[in-house]
Amino acid sequence: MFRRKTTSQAEQENNEAALREAKIKELKTLIGELSGRSLLYCSDPCLKRYLEARNWNVGKAKKMLEETLKWRSTFKPEEIRWDEVSGEGETGKVYKAGFHDRSGRTVLILRPGLQNTKSLENQMKHLVYLIENAIMNLPEDQEQMSWLIDFTDWSLSTSVPIKSARETINILQNHYPERLAVAFLYNPPRLFEAFWKIVKYFIDAKTFIK
């Protein structure tokens, strides 16, 4: 009986794997011919992440991926250089940790209490630069990273504006789907509760759980 159950489970897993592989191929066909950076970006693991983000609905994943390709063509994350965003990084408000978490994932540390600028465009360029760098440094067997958000010294005077928080969430969940494994909020003050009540409405269900 135990062997029959195990065999049945294995068959189900094989069927699910075959179905997912078929959906990856379907999405690749729907996207059509690509070239340059878009071709390099749309690898099979990338397509899988977009499908997972949209619960394996090919149509929704296609729309999401097309919006990302359009965003990347204008934002040009591959072309951002450190000297363009170094001013944003002077206080160490966002940086890639020199260690991995227990699962071997890259860790990105955010310290909103060290906010030092007001330019939303430069803040987002700095964040995207670091996300891209973190992805490049992921171990071969890892697709996701961890975020540690340290609220030490955070206050209303240093808090990230709602607009900035909303754009950060938009970039992460819509253009880097399934890249976040888990986010840890360290030492959030009581004041953060009011901020969180507003921000959480911008977060999709899957990201909210993380």
Side-chain angles (χ1 to χ4, degrees):
M1 182 176 180
F2 180 77
R3 291 185 62 185
R4 284 199 298 271
K5 182 178 181 180
T6 302
T7 301
S8 176
Q9 288 177 336
E11 289 177 350
Q12 183 178 354
E13 289 175 0
N14 289 335
N15 290 337
E16 289 178 355
L19 179 60
R20 291 183 175 185
E21 188 66 29
K23 289 195 173 188
I24 291 173
K25 291 181 179 178
E26 182 183 353
L27 178 56
K28 186 181 296 185
T29 300
L30 289 174
I31 290 295
E33 290 190 16
L34 300 170
S35 60
R37 289 173 176 170
S38 294
L39 178 61
L40 291 174
Y41 181 76
C42 293
S43 62
D44 283 5
C46 173
L47 300 183
K48 181 181 178 182
R49 286 194 301 272
Y50 279 81
L51 284 163
E52 287 181 343
R54 289 297 178 262
N55 295 316
W56 293 88
N57 182 303
V58 178
K60 290 182 179 179
K62 175 179 178 288
K63 181 180 179 182
M64 185 184 193
L65 179 54
E66 287 176 339
E67 289 173 350
T68 291
L69 293 177
K70 182 178 179 180
W71 173 80
R72 292 183 74 87
S73 70
T74 55
F75 202 94
K76 301 184 186 306
E78 305 94 340
E79 297 182 11
I80 302 173
R81 297 294 178 262
W82 176 246
D83 59 351
E84 298 176 53
V85 297
S86 59
E88 294 289 334
E90 287 180 350
T91 60
K93 63 186 177 185
V94 186
Y95 63 94
K96 182 174 68 68
F99 55 85
H100 294 92
D101 69 9
R102 291 181 179 179
S103 299
R105 296 179 293 237
T106 298
V107 178
L108 204 61
I109 298 178
L110 294 82
R111 303 178 67 190
L114 299 180
Q115 181 59 261
N116 62 326
T117 66
K118 294 183 179 180
S119 171
L120 177 60
E121 180 181 357
N122 289 339
Q123 289 170 6
M124 294 305 105
K125 284 181 70 174
H126 179 235
L127 177 66
V128 167
Y129 173 88
L130 290 171
I131 291 176
E132 291 279 327
N133 185 263
I135 291 171
M136 288 176 60
N137 285 278
L138 284 171
E140 289 187 7
D141 61 338
Q142 292 289 354
E143 287 282 309
Q144 298 181 310
M145 68 186 81
S146 297
W147 280 24
L148 172 59
I149 307 175
D150 180 1
F151 285 92
T152 301
D153 297 325
W154 186 89
S155 65
L156 287 178
S157 62
T158 60
S159 66
V160 176
I162 296 297
K163 187 176 181 180
S164 298
R166 185 173 184 174
E167 185 60 18
T168 297
I169 293 167
N170 170 58
I171 288 174
L172 178 64
Q173 67 186 18
N174 293 326
H175 302 311
Y176 293 95
E178 297 302 313
R179 283 299 193 182
L180 178 65
V182 63
F184 295 96
L185 276 61
Y186 174 74
N187 198 29
R190 279 197 167 186
L191 284 172
F192 178 73
E193 293 180 11
F195 181 79
W196 176 247
K197 286 179 181 178
I198 299 173
V199 170
K200 69 180 182 180
Y201 291 107
F202 306 142
I203 305 176
D204 65 33
K206 295 188 74 172
T207 305
F208 183 84
I209 292 172
K210 295 173 183 179

